[in-house]
């Protein structure tokens, strides 16, 4: 803050008098009305130390200026002194309500003016200093510790209580941004202050406790370690309190728990562990807390390793195509294959798809892998054609994430053009659950791909909850029936399962849709499927996924 005073006064003589009184100690700026004063304040960039304003002025008077000043957070640290010849208490109350710091009376007393200007500037500088110190320790919205102070106080608490086991709790509200959208930012802030009050109550019955607001709706607590029963009871109390606070909205809270073992470890690292645990129960109405385990940390490290190795793996073509044959049930003859991917590393051997596929889906890298597989598959078909082979169609998977790619139709079409392969040999599989995510876009993309000549297979049909709706709304060419829900032979639900499968196949026939039963592993399943008119099967009973070379021997020799 600079050493400058702004005088806001329409009377030139009064401006000159005030300037003469102050110019030995301050740089003086002048404005004829409130509007000019606001412009100067905005342009000054915090160089003005104080403002003296008259009340009666044209265009924007002193009251209007004070009203605009009080509603502008950037001016809050600049003290305003009101210069007036009025002595009624009503005017004084009104000015104080708008944030005026002091008053000087007309006619002016030079000594009083100098003292009052000096005093308000010193008060404002002390206020700013105190505010800065406060902000270094406390969250301005809730009044509780910020993270840095929490870390400091928690270290101190751990040191002072060497014989007590402690835990770190990471607490937040599920989809807090939705609450803000429904009720507005102001109500959202009130909820955050209410949560801070909940934590203050917690400290009322537990002396050794620290807590803070980290950011947005995220809070952290450190307290003596408790068992699962206590934690659940505490979460139930929190949930009950939140429901009583806002009965028109189901506020759902989550908590991650990290038990401190190494007191010398980084407190922010402990918070990260608790945060990781909290993700395990996000959005759950059944369990609203989760305890950190070492396996979570190992999983994170493994996921990071998988991501960091992906680019190199693609360049070195470590991702290898495997083909799982599809058979016609009429004569048990090969009729095509599904393309699957295996990651074979030079040092670790084969990485399970169950490990890397979920990681890639989570961070979006699955789109890159999808395209990689599509291109390698097109290249494979081209190599067969170049060798004079008339291959069976092969199908590739389209991940749910890839369906959000606005260029997916163009990319697939461009690949078939680039490698000059008939689209009917390059079939596309999309899981049933993916159809429910973005139906309009998927409908449009599927129709366009069908126009280009591609066959669309609905994968995992029957595994979701909206199978019939999806079948009604989106045109597909083949159903792949998920056999996982089929009960084991001899079980009490076997007849019900068989009845469901038989009716699904009958429905497909009515719609002129061929059915491929996938996951077929038992002879009894094959016999049953054959008896109810299923056309194709895929599964371990006939063949496991195999390298391309093995498939070629099976299909073309």
């Amino acid at each position: 803050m600079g050493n400058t005073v702004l005088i806001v006064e329409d009377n030139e003589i009064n401006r000159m008098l005030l300037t003469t009184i102050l110019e030995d100690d301050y740089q003086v700026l002048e404005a004829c009305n409130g509007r000019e004063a606001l412009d100067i304040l905005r342009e000054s960039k915090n160089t003005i130390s104080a403002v003296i304003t008259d009340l009666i002025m044209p265009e924007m008077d002193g009251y209007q200026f004070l009203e605009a000043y009080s509603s502008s957070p950037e001016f809050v640290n600049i003290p305003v002194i009101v210069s007036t010849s009025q002595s009624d208490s009503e005017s004084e109350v009104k000015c104080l309500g708008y944030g005026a710091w002091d008053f000087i009376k007309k006619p002016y007393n030079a000594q009083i003016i100098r003292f009052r200007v000096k005093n308000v500037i010193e008060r404002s500088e002390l206020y700013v200093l105190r505010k800065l110190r406060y902000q270094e320790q406390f969250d301005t919205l809730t009044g509780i510790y910020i993270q840095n102070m929490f870390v400091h106080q928690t270290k101190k608490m751990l040191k002072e209580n060497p014989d007590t086991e402690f835990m770190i709790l990471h607490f937040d509200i599920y989809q807090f941004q939705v609450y803000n959208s429904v009720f507005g930012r102001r109500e959202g802030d009130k909820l955050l202050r209410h949560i801070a009050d909940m934590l203050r109550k917690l400290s009322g019955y537990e002396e050794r406790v620290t807590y803070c607001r980290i950011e947005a709706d995220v809070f952290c607590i450190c307290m003596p370690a408790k068992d699962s029963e206590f934690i659940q009871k505490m979460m139930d109390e929190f949930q009950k309190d939140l429901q009583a606070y806002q009965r028109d909205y189901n506020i759902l809270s989550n908590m991650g728990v990290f038990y401190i073992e190494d007191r010398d470890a980084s407190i922010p690292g402990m918070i990260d562990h608790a945060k990781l645990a909290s993700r395990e129960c996000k959005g759950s109405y059944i369990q609203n807390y989760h305890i950190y385990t070492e396996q979570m940390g190992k999983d994170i490290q493994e996921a990071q390793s998988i991501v960091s190795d992906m680019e190199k793996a693609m360049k070195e073509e470590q991702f290898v195509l495997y083909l799982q044959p599809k058979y016609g049930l009429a004569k048990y003859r090969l009729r095509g294959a599904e393309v699957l991917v295996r990651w074979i590393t030079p040092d670790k051997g084969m990485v399970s798809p169950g490990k890397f596929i979920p990681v890639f889906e989570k961070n979006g890298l699955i789109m890159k892998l999808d395209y990689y597989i599509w291109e390698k598959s097109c290249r494979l078909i081209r190599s067969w054609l170049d060798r004079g082979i008339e291959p069976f169609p092969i199908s590739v998977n389209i991940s749910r994430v890839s369906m959000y790619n606005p260029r997916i139709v163009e990319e697939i079409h461009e690949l078939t053009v680039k490698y000059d392969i008939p689209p009917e040999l390059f079939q596309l599989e999309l899981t049933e659950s993916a159809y429910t995510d973005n139906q309009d876009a998927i409908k449009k993309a599927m129709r366009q791909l069908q126009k280009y000549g591609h066959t669309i297979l609905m994968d995992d049909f029957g595994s979701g909850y909206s199978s019939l709706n999806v079948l009604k709304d989106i045109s597909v060419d083949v159903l792949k029936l998920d056999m996982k829900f089929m009960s084991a032979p001899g079980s009490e639900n076997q007849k019900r399962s068989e009845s469901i499968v038989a009716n699904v196949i009958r429905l497909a026939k009515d719609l002129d849709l061929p059915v491929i039963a996938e996951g077929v592993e038992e002879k009894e399943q094959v016999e049953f499927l054959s008896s109810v008119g299923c056309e194709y099967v895929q599964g371990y009973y006939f063949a496991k996924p195999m390298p391309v070379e093995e498939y070629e021997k099976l299909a073309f020799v």
Side-chain angles (χ1 to χ4, degrees), residues 31-100:
C32 296
N33 56 58
R35 195 172 304 285
E36 282 186 20
L38 288 174
D39 290 340
I40 292 170
L41 282 171
R42 291 187 182 110
E43 292 171 6
S44 68
K45 297 181 180 176
N46 295 324
T47 60
I48 291 177
S49 305
V51 178
I52 300 174
T53 182
D54 189 24
L55 287 179
I56 310 302
M57 295 180 292
E59 193 168 347
M60 178 184 276
D61 64 23
Y63 295 114
Q64 293 169 319
F65 167 73
L66 280 168
E67 185 176 8
Y69 155 87
S70 65
S71 62
S72 303
E74 67 266 34
F75 303 150
V76 70
N77 298 327
I78 304 174
V80 174
I81 302 171
V82 173
S83 163
T84 179
S85 56
Q86 301 176 22
S87 57
D88 61 293
S89 58
E90 186 179 338
S91 297
E92 195 167 321
V93 168
K94 190 174 180 181
C95 291
L96 289 169
Y98 282 137

Side-chain angles (χ1 to χ4, degrees), residues 259-278:
Y259 289 107
I260 299 174
E261 294 180 358
D262 180 5
R263 290 167 181 260
D264 296 325
S266 155
I267 302 289
M270 297 178 191
I271 295 172
D272 287 341
H273 289 333
K275 179 180 179 180
L276 187 62
S278 74

Side-chain angles (χ1 to χ4, degrees), residues 176 179-180 183-193:
F176 175 69
Y179 185 92
N180 265 344
F183 296 101
R185 179 70 178 272
R186 184 172 295 181
E187 286 300 317
D189 287 348
K190 282 176 66 177
L191 173 59
L192 297 177
R193 286 192 287 269

Side-chain angles (χ1 to χ4, degrees), residues 213-460:
R213 179 185 176 216
I214 295 180
E215 61 179 358
D217 62 311
V218 179
F219 295 80
C220 207
I221 309 156
C222 183
M223 62 187 295
K226 308 291 183 181
D227 60 17
S228 296
E229 185 179 348
F230 178 93
I231 296 168
Q232 185 61 66
K233 185 178 178 182
M234 181 172 68
M235 283 301 290
D236 290 343
E237 288 297 318
F238 280 175
Q239 199 62 42
K240 185 178 176 183
D241 193 314
L242 291 169
Q243 290 307 118
Y245 172 80
Q246 179 53 267
R247 298 186 184 279
D248 296 329
Y249 187 90
N250 189 15
I251 301 173
L252 188 63
S253 56
N254 309 278
M255 184 177 281
V257 183
F258 175 74
Y259 289 107
I260 299 174
E261 294 180 358
D262 180 5
R263 290 167 181 260
D264 296 325
S266 155
I267 302 289
M270 297 178 191
I271 295 172
D272 287 341
H273 289 333
K275 179 180 179 180
L276 187 62
S278 74
R279 290 177 181 168
E280 297 296 313
C281 56
K282 283 284 183 187
S284 172
Y285 288 84
I286 299 170
Q287 184 174 357
N288 49 11
Y289 78 91
H290 200 87
I291 297 172
Y292 176 86
T293 63
E294 285 188 14
Q295 187 58 45
M296 288 183 193
K298 289 177 183 176
D299 289 344
I300 287 292
Q301 289 179 344
E302 186 175 45
Q304 289 172 341
S305 174
I306 285 171
V307 170
S308 62
D309 290 344
M310 182 190 181
E311 288 294 337
K312 181 183 176 185
M314 280 194 170
K315 287 177 184 175
E316 295 180 358
E317 297 195 3
Q318 294 176 15
F319 293 104
V320 177
L321 299 190
Y322 268 51
L323 299 174
Q324 185 169 27
K326 301 171 187 175
Y327 284 84
L329 269 179
K331 296 182 179 179
Y332 293 173
R333 287 183 178 173
L334 187 70
R335 286 293 178 263
E338 177 184 358
V339 177
L340 302 170
V341 63
R342 296 294 182 263
W343 186 356
I344 303 174
T345 66
D347 51 346
K348 301 174 188 174
M350 186 177 290
V351 181
S352 166
K355 286 188 175 181
F356 68 85
I357 295 292
V359 173
F360 291 166
E361 285 179 338
K362 192 171 183 179
N363 59 26
L365 289 174
I366 194 69
M367 292 176 68
K368 266 191 166 184
L369 183 61
D370 275 354
Y371 189 86
Y372 173 96
I373 295 166
W374 301 340
E375 183 159 28
K376 289 206 79 169
S377 299
C378 287
R379 214 182 290 164
L380 178 62
I381 296 171
R382 181 69 259 160
S383 72
W384 288 339
L385 294 172
D386 288 345
R387 287 156 56 189
I389 295 170
E390 294 184 11
F392 298 111
I394 60 173
S395 59
V396 296
N397 288 280
I398 301 177
S399 69
R400 295 170 64 162
V401 179
S402 286
M403 284 310 305
Y404 286 91
N405 176 4
R407 291 200 72 254
I408 185 169
V409 173
E410 288 82 356
E411 287 182 357
I412 291 173
H413 180 62
E414 285 166 4
L415 282 173
T416 58
V417 172
K418 177 180 177 181
Y419 291 98
D420 189 23
I421 62 171
E424 60 268 21
L425 294 180
F426 189 59
Q427 300 180 345
L428 309 169
E429 295 196 20
L430 189 64
T431 60
E432 178 199 331
S433 55
Y435 285 91
T436 62
D437 286 347
N438 190 11
Q439 278 205 16
D440 289 340
I442 291 175
K443 280 183 190 178
K444 185 178 177 182
M446 295 300 103
R447 280 198 298 264
Q448 188 59 50
L449 287 166
Q450 284 170 324
K451 283 182 183 177
Y452 282 134
H454 295 281
T455 298
I456 308 296
L457 293 77
M458 183 188 288
D459 196 12
D460 293 335

